[in-house]
């Protein structure tokens, strides 16, 4: 992430240094305290909350502050302070270096013996919280921060259960379904053993690289309630049987058959760790041999081989992480013979040429633009930084500058082509336009990654000037598409007139299909977080778009309710919800980008209310109706993605009732 014109310079008395991450309803920044110490600042974007969500989310945010200040443990992220800044609450936390465990599991995994040590520390943290009567209720990889040495810190106690709390009741389902304990799905209250079940799910996934309960949200909940997963060694044969017993005890459906506490779980885990034969169990699991173990010359040779292979072999996230670790180890070695040549002449130079040749440029032929292109760019930037440390900065910079020139040229070609395509009559082909906008933002991200500030400013300026033209065209096409279409869709067609209903359904489908492409184009104007593009659009143009979007919201919700009532196939339901989600995401970006912020807020409220009404409608389907369950699950997934806690909780409650009744 980068500092933008919308990044606050300060939050309360704390200076903002850089963005660290962004969720649906909050942004986390690296900050500096008044005494100069480094902190993490979590700012809730309260202006994006629908009115029915606001009280619940604010209460949980304040609860995170209250609990975080009580907990003092080396494996729990400490909350140092909290307050409000321009009406939005914020937390000040200790700065935990690293990434969340979810990212580590997706990009490289964790060797089994390291996984056991990591989870032992997590259990120590849970034991500390449980001793204070605090149940986390949302233990999952995304809520565990790990540094490069895999030292964990548990975070996000925003939905924790605390003594004498009246924010939630025993029937509330607040956790993440894939990790939630079965007693909570049955509507019973959480206790410490509920956290142990969730920790067992995390441990299973760490050891096997597969979650014990997978599938759609409804399938996951059903499996947690009724199915026992295979023991870990059945999925990963290198694991000893002693580990099976520990994990399967944690995953018992009946809390009374689990470990009585986190300390007992930790003791059993320590005993199982003794069964590991490191040489046997880690064979093929450790991703990259350390340069300190193989020697710096071997590291240089390994680096050359890996980069040479990229001409023919796609670069995965796992391999990118492995090369980065290999490079870090080699740079840390006391002697580095051959490393400069491996990084500069055999690394940066050929990789820069590959980046220039394989970018998603206009007119790129089949197989020319690579799907792993941004990973190649990230590796090139990483090698460029290493070259600076090896006194090869000038040679590396020249090669990178040549690649930057090609990327900048492609940006200008795209802008010229987009202008021609967009102005090609009243019915331009929207597919290529949307795809070109996506590629443009990829190219801008590449310029940012490579540190090409001057070229990035010029490219952004080009798109800022183009934004008004784009939005005007979007409005013209939307107005034409929605002309004559009733806001209530099929509900306006009399029952029994099947020919009229079929014609209306076809007309509505055409409108919605065209609008999806338009939203993709409009969304590109702010997808990269550059509010200047939207500010380049006149307020009247934005207000007109919001008016069309409100009509579109009403039409889509009415159509989906009519389809659900008629028992239509549920497969298109999630796609239509996806369009509403895209519209909501775009509307939230309009809050600070244009004058009609009140109209944008009204649009987000109507979207939220429409989806809530949809949930009520689809929840009425009989428990055995599979399409009804699929629709509820789709609403849950949308609410989770957008941070709509109230709708997500309601959807999980509906799924729970359907599954238990079924």
């Amino acid at each position: 992430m980068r500092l933008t014109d919308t990044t606050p310079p300060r939050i309360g008395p704390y200076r903002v240094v850089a963005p660290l991450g962004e969720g649906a309803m909050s942004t986390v920044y690296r900050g500096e305290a008044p005494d100069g110490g480094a902190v993490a600042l979590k700012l809730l974007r309260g202006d994006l909350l629908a009115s029915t969500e606001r009280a619940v989310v604010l209460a949980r945010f304040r609860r995170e502050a209250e609990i975080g200040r009580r907990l003092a443990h080396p494996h729990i992220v400490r909350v140092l302070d909290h307050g409000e800044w321009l009406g939005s609450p914020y937390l000040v936390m200790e700065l935990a270096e690293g990434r969340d465990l979810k990212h580590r599991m997706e990009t490289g995994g964790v060797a089994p013996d390291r996984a056991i040590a990591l989870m032992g520390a997590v259990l120590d943290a849970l034991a500390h919280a449980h001793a204070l009567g605090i149940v986390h209720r949302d233990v999952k990889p995304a809520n565990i921060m790990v540094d490069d040495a895999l030292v964990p810190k548990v975070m996000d106690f925003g939905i924790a259960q605390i003594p004498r709390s009246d924010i939630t009741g025993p029937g509330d389902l607040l956790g993440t379904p894939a990790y939630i304990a079965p007693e909570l799905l049955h509507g019973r209250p959480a206790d410490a053993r509920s956290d142990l079940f969730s920790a067992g799910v995390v441990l299973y996934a760490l050891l096997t690289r597969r979650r014990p309960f997978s599938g759609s949200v409804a399938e996951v909940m059903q499996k947690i309630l009724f199915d026992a997963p295979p023991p870990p060694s059945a999925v990963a044969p290198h694991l000893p049987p002693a580990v099976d017993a520990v994990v399967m005890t944690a995953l018992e459906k009946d809390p009374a058959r689990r470990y009585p506490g986190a300390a007992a779980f930790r003791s059993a885990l320590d005993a199982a760790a003794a069964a590991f034969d490191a040489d046997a169990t880690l064979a093929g699991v450790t991703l990259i041999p350390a340069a300190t173990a193989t020697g710096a010359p071997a590291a240089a040779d390994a680096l050359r081989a890996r980069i040479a292979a990229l001409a023919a072999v796609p670069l995965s996230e796992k391999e990118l992480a492995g090369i980065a670790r290999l490079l870090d180890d080699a740079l840390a070695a006391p002697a580095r013979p051959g490393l400069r040549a491996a990084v500069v002449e055999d690394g940066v130079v050929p990789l820069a040429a590959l980046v220039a040749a394989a970018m998603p440029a206009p007119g790129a032929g089949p197989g020319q633009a690579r799907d792993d292109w941004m990973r190649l760019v990230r590796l090139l930037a990483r090698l460029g930084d290493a070259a600076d440390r090896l006194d090869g900065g000038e040679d590396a910079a020249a090669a990178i500058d040549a690649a930057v020139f090609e990327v900048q040229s492609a940006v200008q070609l795209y802008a010229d082509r987009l202008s021609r395509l967009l102005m090609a009559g009243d019915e331009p082909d929207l597919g290529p336009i949307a795809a070109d906008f996506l590629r443009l933002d990829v190219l801008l991200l590449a310029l940012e990654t490579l540190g090409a500030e001057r070229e990035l400013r010029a490219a952004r300026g080009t798109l800022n000037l183009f934004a008004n033209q784009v939005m005007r065209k979007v409005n013209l096409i939307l107005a034409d598409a929605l002309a004559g279409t009733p806001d209530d869709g099929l509900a306006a067609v009399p029952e029994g007139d099947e020919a009229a209903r079929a014609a209306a359904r076809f007309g509505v489908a055409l409108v919605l299909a065209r609008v999806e492409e338009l939203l993709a184009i409009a969304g590109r104007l702010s997808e990269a977080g550059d509010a200047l593009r939207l500010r380049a659009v006149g307020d009247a143009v934005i207000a007109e778009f919001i008016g069309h979007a409100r009509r579109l919201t009403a039409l889509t919700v009415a159509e989906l309710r009519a389809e659900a009532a008629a028992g239509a196939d549920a497969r298109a339901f999630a796609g239509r919800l996806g369009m509403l989600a895209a519209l909501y995401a775009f509307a939230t970006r309009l809050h600070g980008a244009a004058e009609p912020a009140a109209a944008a807020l009204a649009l987000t409220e109507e979207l939220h209310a429409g989806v809530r009404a949809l949930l009520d409608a689809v929840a009425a389907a009989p428990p055995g109706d599979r399409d009804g369950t699929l629709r509820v699950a789709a609403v849950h997934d949308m609410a989770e993605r957008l941070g709509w806690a109230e709708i997500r909780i309601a959807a999980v409650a509906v799924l729970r009732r359907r599954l238990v009744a079924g």
Side-chain angles (χ1 to χ4, degrees):
M1 298 182 67
R2 64 173 186 271
L3 288 166
T4 70
D5 65 313
T6 58
T7 302
R10 304 189 74 82
I11 296 175
Y14 301 91
R15 187 174 72 87
V16 173
V17 177
L20 291 175
E22 187 172 5
M25 289 294 128
S26 62
T27 303
V28 180
Y29 301 95
R30 179 187 292 269
E32 184 180 281
D35 64 2
V39 295
L41 304 169
K42 183 176 181 179
L43 179 67
L44 183 69
R45 303 176 65 197
D47 58 313
L48 303 187
L49 295 173
S51 57
T52 54
E53 302 273 356
R54 188 171 291 113
V56 174
V57 174
L58 288 176
R60 290 179 192 145
F61 197 83
R62 293 185 180 109
R63 171 194 294 226
E64 184 177 359
E66 176 191 348
I67 294 175
R69 299 194 74 173
R70 285 197 210 177
L71 298 169
H73 191 274
H75 297 300
I76 295 177
V77 173
R78 290 290 309 275
V79 174
L80 307 173
D81 190 11
H82 65 95
E84 285 199 3
W85 178 79
L86 299 181
S88 295
Y90 67 86
L91 295 181
V92 183
M93 302 172 289
E94 67 168 307
L95 184 63
E97 299 291 350
R99 301 288 295 270
D100 63 57
L101 184 58
K102 178 176 181 286
H103 177 268
R104 178 59 184 256
M105 293 166 69
E106 291 172 346
T107 58
V110 178
D113 61 335
R114 304 292 297 279
I116 286 183
L118 187 158
M119 286 306 297
V122 169
L123 290 169
D124 287 346
L126 293 176
H128 172 75
H130 296 164
L132 297 174
I134 296 168
V135 182
H136 190 287
R137 293 202 294 184
D138 200 18
V139 177
K140 59 183 179 180
N143 284 338
I144 301 171
M145 182 74 74
V146 293
D147 61 15
D148 290 341
L150 292 180
V151 176
K153 283 184 177 288
V154 178
M155 56 185 178
D156 200 348
F157 282 78
I159 66 168
Q161 178 174 287
I162 56 178
R164 299 177 302 281
S165 169
D166 60 356
I167 295 178
T168 59
D172 287 337
L173 277 172
L174 304 180
T176 303
Y179 299 89
I180 201 167
E183 61 269 21
L184 274 65
L185 293 178
H186 281 294
R188 296 194 288 270
D191 64 19
R193 295 168 299 180
S194 304
D195 280 351
L196 302 189
F197 181 91
S198 302
V201 176
V202 176
L203 178 59
Y204 188 107
L206 276 171
L207 293 172
T208 66
R209 306 193 182 189
R210 186 185 307 171
R211 285 208 315 258
F213 312 104
S214 59
S216 69
V217 61
E219 291 169 335
V220 165
M221 292 170 67
Q222 178 170 320
K223 290 175 181 177
I224 288 174
L225 282 169
F226 305 116
D227 298 345
S233 65
V235 179
H238 59 271
L239 296 172
V243 172
D244 288 348
V246 175
V247 176
M248 300 308 285
T249 299
L251 296 181
E252 286 283 357
K253 308 293 184 191
D254 181 357
R257 301 183 65 180
R258 292 178 211 144
Y259 296 104
F265 190 172
R266 169 70 194 259
S267 295
L269 198 56
D270 288 344
F276 273 91
D277 176 348
D279 292 335
T281 58
L282 301 186
V285 177
T286 303
L287 300 177
I288 302 292
T292 53
T294 60
D301 291 341
L303 191 61
R304 276 193 193 88
R306 288 172 183 272
I307 294 172
L310 296 179
V313 179
L315 178 62
S316 66
E317 282 289 344
K318 176 178 174 180
E319 178 69 1
L320 176 59
I323 293 174
R325 285 197 297 275
L326 177 65
L327 186 57
D328 286 341
D329 287 342
L331 288 169
R336 301 179 293 203
L339 191 58
R340 181 192 182 283
V343 168
V344 180
E345 287 83 359
D346 300 323
V348 171
V349 173
L351 188 57
L354 180 59
V355 164
M359 69 178 167
Q368 182 178 340
R370 290 179 47 154
D371 294 337
D372 62 342
W373 188 71
M374 268 309 302
R375 286 192 284 272
L376 295 174
V377 170
R378 286 160 53 198
L379 178 57
L380 179 59
R382 182 69 185 80
L383 289 173
D385 291 340
D388 287 338
R389 296 174 59 181
L390 296 167
D391 298 325
E394 290 187 7
D395 294 338
I400 292 174
D401 285 347
V404 164
F405 176 79
E406 296 298 330
V407 173
Q408 185 185 25
S409 300
V411 169
Q412 190 58 52
L413 288 173
Y414 269 126
D416 294 343
R417 188 167 83 163
L418 276 169
S419 184
R420 292 195 304 272
L421 288 172
L422 199 62
M423 297 301 112
D426 295 331
E427 293 288 326
D429 187 351
L430 297 177
I433 295 174
D436 278 359
F437 263 107
L438 176 60
R439 296 185 188 106
L440 262 175
D441 273 336
V442 170
L443 294 178
L444 263 63
L445 180 59
L447 291 175
E448 178 186 352
T449 302
L450 295 173
E453 293 296 332
R454 179 173 56 83
E455 293 82 357
L456 183 61
R457 284 195 299 271
R460 285 180 185 160
T462 298
L463 292 185
N464 292 346
L465 295 174
F466 198 44
N468 197 289
Q469 179 186 12
V470 170
M471 285 302 297
R472 286 182 182 277
K473 192 65 173 183
V474 166
N475 280 338
L476 286 173
I477 300 173
L478 272 176
D480 182 61
L482 293 170
T485 304
D487 285 347
D488 51 359
L490 293 181
V493 182
E495 290 284 349
D497 190 345
E498 295 306 318
R501 290 181 70 80
R505 183 180 295 282
F506 181 73
V508 169
L510 284 179
V511 169
L512 296 182
R514 190 144 182 84
V515 165
E516 284 189 67
E517 295 177 314
L518 288 166
L519 285 177
I521 294 170
R524 296 257 57 90
L525 295 176
S526 62
E527 190 71 17
D530 189 351
L532 281 173
R533 281 193 230 171
L534 284 174
R535 288 179 180 170
V537 178
D539 290 341
V541 177
I542 293 291
E544 184 182 359
F545 174 83
I546 292 172
H548 293 319
R550 295 176 75 171
R551 281 202 62 206
L552 175 63
T553 299
L555 173 65
T556 305
V557 170
E559 172 70 1
L560 289 175
R561 293 187 69 172
E563 287 182 359
D569 191 296
R571 284 175 292 185
F573 188 86
R576 294 285 182 252
L577 280 181
M579 184 186 72
L580 291 179
L583 187 56
Y584 178 85
F586 186 60
T588 60
R589 294 188 184 104
L590 298 176
H591 285 200
E595 279 302 315
L601 182 59
L603 171 58
T604 60
E605 294 276 359
E606 289 172 17
L607 280 159
H608 184 277
V611 175
R612 188 64 178 86
L614 268 180
L615 176 60
D616 293 339
V618 300
D625 182 349
R626 183 173 181 273
D627 280 347
T629 300
L630 290 175
R631 289 188 176 96
V632 176
V635 173
H636 167 275
D637 293 346
M638 175 186 182
E640 185 171 48
R641 190 164 65 251
L642 297 178
W644 289 352
E646 186 261 343
I647 291 182
R648 184 185 70 82
I649 294 166
V652 173
V654 171
L655 288 171
R656 178 186 69 191
R657 290 196 299 270
R658 295 176 70 85
L659 290 170
V660 173

